[in-house]
Amino acid sequence: MATQTMTELVASLSPKEQEAVRALVEYIRSSSSLSEAPQSQSPFIAAAQEFIRQHPDLLQRLAQ
């Protein structure tokens, strides 16, 4: 996805959704430098799974 398109997509989200995206990006950035994920799993997948574990209520509201 092009950067401009991603920027437009995030800009169209509600403030809470934008905060969730920001938190996910920050988590991915911080966890990729820590290398705590197993070698068989990509850092993005590990970050996404951790985000899902930490924010199930937010994800449920987004799905509605």
Side-chain angles (χ1 to χ4, degrees):
M1 181 177 283
T3 302
Q4 184 65 22
T5 305
M6 181 61 83
T7 303
E8 291 169 356
L9 175 65
V10 172
S12 71
L13 299 173
S14 73
K16 284 187 176 185
E17 292 168 331
Q18 289 179 12
E19 178 59 23
V21 170
R22 186 203 64 74
L24 178 59
V25 169
E26 288 301 316
Y27 182 80
I28 292 168
R29 284 181 179 165
S30 68
S31 68
S32 66
S33 64
L34 296 176
S35 299
E36 293 180 350
Q39 293 295 355
S40 63
Q41 190 176 42
S42 77
F44 178 80
I45 298 297
Q49 289 174 339
E50 182 64 23
F51 183 84
I52 290 166
R53 279 193 293 275
Q54 291 180 3
H55 303 285
D57 56 331
L58 175 63
L59 294 172
Q60 179 63 36
R61 287 192 303 255
L62 287 173
Q64 294 177 348

